[in-house]
Amino acid sequence: MCQSCNWIKNGKSYKSKLCLSALGILVLVFTFWASTVWNDMLHWTSFTSNPGICPRLVKEETIIRLEGTKHLLVSAYMDRRFSGSNVRIIGIFKRDSKTELHCVFCCQGSLSQRTPAKLRPHSDNFGFPYVTTDVMCQMPAGCNGSHVALVPLRKIVRNLTWIPVRNRKEAGQEEKPLPFNLTVCISVLFAKLNNVLQAAQTLEMYRLLGVDKVVIYNTSCGPELERLLRSYSQEDFVEIIPWPIDRHLTPSRGWQFSETGGDLHYFGQLTTLNECIYRSMERSHYVLLNDLDEIIMPYQHNDMLSLMSELRRQHPDVSEFRIENHIFPKTQMEPSGKFRLPQWEGVPGINILQHIYREEPSSAVYHPYKMIIRPRLIEQTSVHEVLQKFGKSYKVPPDVCRIIHVRTPLQSSLTLDQLHIDKRLWDFHQKLIPNVDRVLKRAGLI
């Protein structure tokens, strides 16, 4: 009888211990779950119950890493051309990353519900691990979101990083005329470029041609060019955008990953060109996409606006005007020295007025173009052609407009008598020279 009692007592004790252990495990699981939910809810609901505290952390840098991912975010813009996805975030994403993302908006100080993010990687990546990527976000009904944040699904994000939504319109706001006719987007400066004289001549040439705004993305440049750009930034003509891509990735100085390695094509040139298009969409009728050593030059018109008005009249359904690139070798100089000016002798860089010899593009190799685009009709672009657009493409004849590109020769075997004499820049020298002198003096360079 006692043995049976002991057996029963031992059995009850074992069951009690088993129950206590199970209960302990359940408590731990519940505690972990509750902590996770609480941390999540802290970021999703407390904003709604406490209007005015979002955005908590607003992005100040041009490039910022998205917490919990390998991705970089650059900027966000309203895009009213598509139904259902009306905010476009421009980013640089790791191609092999499959992180699912959601969008959150700050709506009049309160946090919105999450909406799925749709990723649209650009088709041009040149084999590099990172690619320019658009993230399309749908703003919830009734929300006029001032800021947007991305949140990785099933990951705790301690601090939402908010990006201002640009190109917004308040409810009832009337459509305003665009302030600019022509904007030039200079994709990226890097490797401590210090070609000061050519930069000043190019910028002042664009001013003479009627350009209203020049946007330059700057990773690094030399000290004298830094002084020149800092001087320009004090006026409305030039806008300098810091582009510290080398702090986040290993950018390539070349075009193909198979040749150069690195994380990203050519210091993120594709991202900056697309960013500049959206930056200009609500303020400029036309955008020129080119480099600082290139001038898109009309040959039958005195200024760019006259050229574009004529092209628009002739080709109203065109959104991308492709301009042929023509190389002016810096190794060949005009022999008389007419524009070898003493005040420019100590200024670093190329004097483009001394280079009047032009290569004829070779039909045997691929010949790149640069573009003049209507930004509201462009969705995605590459360097030498638009990837996604509303409208047609048109190659402008070189006798109407071509690029003056003073640089190392592309066809180094050509002799002087095989080059064409092209003095188009000289048509502007009477105004160009004093204007260049003015900006160099203002920067303390002469």
Side-chain angles (χ1 to χ4, degrees):
M1 195 67 182
C2 286
Q3 289 181 349
S4 299
C5 291
N6 289 335
W7 183 85
I8 293 171
K9 288 180 180 179
N10 291 337
K12 289 181 178 180
S13 176
Y14 175 76
K15 288 181 179 179
S16 298
K17 290 179 180 179
L18 186 63
C19 288
L20 287 173
S21 297
L23 182 61
I25 291 173
L26 287 173
V27 168
L28 288 174
V29 170
F30 176 80
T31 302
F32 176 78
W33 174 83
S35 175
T36 300
V37 171
W38 173 252
N39 281 327
D40 199 27
M41 292 294 289
L42 181 65
H43 294 90
W44 295 108
T45 61
S46 64
F47 293 122
T48 306
S49 60
N50 295 282
I53 70 169
C54 82
R56 177 176 292 180
L57 177 63
V58 178
K59 166 188 171 295
E60 300 291 345
E61 300 85 0
T62 315
I63 306 169
I64 193 164
R65 187 169 297 279
L66 176 60
E67 184 181 338
T69 74
K70 298 179 180 179
H71 307 321
L72 304 175
L73 304 180
V74 178
S75 53
Y77 292 91
M78 287 292 298
D79 192 343
R80 301 170 187 84
R81 301 171 299 177
F82 301 90
S83 61
S85 296
N86 51 12
V87 171
R88 181 184 302 263
I89 299 174
I90 298 174
I92 301 171
F93 278 37
K94 188 82 182 312
R95 289 167 57 200
D96 61 3
S97 177
K98 306 300 181 183
T99 305
E100 188 174 349
L101 300 172
H102 277 77
C103 311
V104 192
F105 291 92
C106 183
C107 309
Q108 296 81 42
S110 298
L111 200 68
S112 76
Q113 294 179 341
R114 286 180 280 186
T115 60
K118 298 179 181 179
L119 271 58
R120 301 192 62 189
H122 290 213
S123 56
D124 271 4
N125 56 60
F126 301 100
F128 288 92
Y130 284 80
V131 63
T132 302
T133 300
D134 297 337
V135 183
M136 307 303 294
C137 294
Q138 181 177 358
M139 194 177 291
C143 172
N144 185 15
S146 60
H147 296 74
V148 63
L150 288 179
V151 181
L153 190 64
R154 292 184 293 272
K155 287 190 178 182
I156 300 299
V157 177
R158 303 296 177 185
N159 294 294
L160 296 179
T161 298
W162 295 96
I163 306 174
V165 178
R166 302 176 185 271
N167 296 348
R168 293 172 59 241
K169 284 186 174 65
E170 299 296 336
Q173 182 179 349
E174 295 182 1
E175 188 78 16
K176 294 181 180 179
L178 302 183
F180 304 141
N181 286 312
L182 296 155
T183 295
V184 174
C185 293
I186 306 297
S187 57
V188 63
L189 305 182
F190 62 90
K192 298 192 180 299
L193 177 74
N194 206 35
N195 192 355
V196 179
L197 184 55
Q198 185 172 6
Q201 291 172 329
T202 298
L203 293 172
E204 293 308 311
M205 191 66 246
Y206 274 131
R207 202 196 298 261
L208 291 175
L209 291 173
V211 168
D212 302 292
K213 174 75 74 173
V214 178
V215 182
I216 301 176
Y217 293 79
N218 183 23
T219 298
S220 69
C221 60
E224 287 83 7
L225 185 55
E226 181 73 33
R227 287 169 59 185
L228 179 71
L229 295 180
R230 192 183 308 118
S231 175
Y232 267 119
S233 67
Q234 296 172 2
E235 59 180 4
D236 292 335
F237 181 58
V238 176
E239 181 179 5
I240 309 299
I241 310 297
W243 186 247
I245 188 64
D246 50 350
R247 298 180 192 171
H248 301 273
L249 298 173
T250 303
S252 170
R253 299 189 183 190
W255 278 69
Q256 297 290 341
F257 175 75
S258 58
E259 297 177 0
T260 62
D263 293 322
L264 184 66
H265 162 266
Y266 214 66
F267 278 77
Q269 179 183 38
L270 294 170
T271 307
T272 60
L273 289 174
N274 283 274
E275 205 283 334
C276 196
I277 288 175
Y278 284 90
R279 181 179 291 265
S280 306
M281 194 166 287
E282 297 295 330
R283 67 182 189 183
S284 189
H285 290 281
Y286 301 100
V287 171
L288 290 66
L289 304 173
N290 59 285
D291 295 330
L292 194 54
D293 59 354
E294 300 170 335
I295 299 173
I296 296 179
M297 174 66 76
Y299 274 69
Q300 296 180 7
H301 302 80
N302 292 326
D303 56 73
M304 290 298 301
L305 187 57
S306 299
L307 167 68
M308 296 315 300
S309 297
E310 181 69 13
L311 289 175
R312 179 80 175 272
R313 184 186 65 80
Q314 295 175 353
H315 309 280
D317 55 351
V318 168
S319 57
E320 173 196 16
F321 297 92
R322 303 184 70 192
I323 312 299
E324 193 170 83
N325 188 24
H326 285 247
I327 304 299
F328 288 64
K330 67 179 184 179
T331 53
Q332 301 287 355
M333 303 183 71
E334 190 274 325
S336 74
K338 178 179 180 180
F339 293 109
R340 186 176 177 179
L341 304 179
Q343 69 268 31
W344 294 348
E345 288 296 320
V347 181
I350 297 170
N351 179 358
I352 60 176
L353 290 172
Q354 292 185 281
H355 301 282
I356 62 171
Y357 298 104
R358 173 172 55 84
E359 294 182 8
E360 185 67 24
S362 172
S363 59
V365 296
Y366 170 76
H367 190 65
Y369 287 73
K370 292 296 176 71
M371 294 91 71
I372 304 173
I373 55 102
R374 297 167 61 188
R376 291 188 173 188
L377 298 179
I378 304 299
E379 187 181 357
Q380 294 180 352
T381 192
S382 186
V383 179
H384 299 301
E385 62 181 340
V386 169
L387 300 176
Q388 301 286 338
K389 60 182 179 292
F390 308 92
K392 298 180 180 179
S393 178
Y394 174 69
K395 291 183 180 180
V396 180
D399 63 328
V400 175
C401 181
R402 68 171 67 109
I403 295 175
I404 296 177
H405 191 181
V406 181
R407 49 152 288 175
T408 54
L410 196 63
Q411 305 174 64
S412 56
S413 61
L414 295 179
T415 59
L416 190 60
D417 60 344
Q418 293 175 304
L419 300 173
H420 302 275
I421 294 178
D422 187 334
K423 298 181 180 180
R424 175 59 171 155
L425 283 171
W426 288 12
D427 295 338
F428 300 87
H429 80 275
Q430 290 184 341
K431 293 182 178 180
L432 179 63
I433 292 173
N435 287 359
V436 171
D437 286 346
R438 175 182 57 84
V439 298
L440 291 177
K441 287 178 181 177
R442 185 181 64 190
L445 296 169
I446 61 173

